[in-house]
Amino acid sequence: MRHTRADVIAFERGITQLPQVAACHHITGNFDYLLQVDVADLPAYEDFYANQLAALPGVATVTSYVTMKTLSPDTA
């Protein structure tokens, strides 16, 4: 992500308008933001990525991880 203040503001306004985004965290480290995205399947994610996320102002690269399993104390 480019780091001009205008780009950050535009990205944050845009990301909060996407219904697929369940959570957006501004983080430190190698990445600027960590998103939790809820979609039906991988084709739905591909559509979200190509047509919405990558089109947001300031987005230069996206790294994606797919959750295979979610563990909680109830599942242990």
Side-chain angles (χ1 to χ4, degrees), residues 26-38:
H26 191 194
I27 61 174
T28 63
N30 294 330
F31 305 107
D32 295 320
Y33 290 89
L34 175 66
L35 306 178
Q36 177 183 341
V37 177
D38 292 333

Side-chain angles (χ1 to χ4, degrees), residues 11-48:
F11 172 81
E12 290 181 354
R13 283 187 183 144
I15 203 71
T16 60
Q17 301 303 308
L18 301 178
Q20 299 91 333
V21 178
C24 177
H25 306 277
H26 191 194
I27 61 174
T28 63
N30 294 330
F31 305 107
D32 295 320
Y33 290 89
L34 175 66
L35 306 178
Q36 177 183 341
V37 177
D38 292 333
V39 292
D41 52 26
L42 285 175
Y45 176 74
E46 181 181 17
D47 179 67
F48 167 76

Side-chain angles (χ1 to χ4, degrees), residues 45-62:
Y45 176 74
E46 181 181 17
D47 179 67
F48 167 76
Y49 167 78
N51 298 308
Q52 295 180 62
L53 183 59
L56 288 174
V59 174
T61 61
V62 174

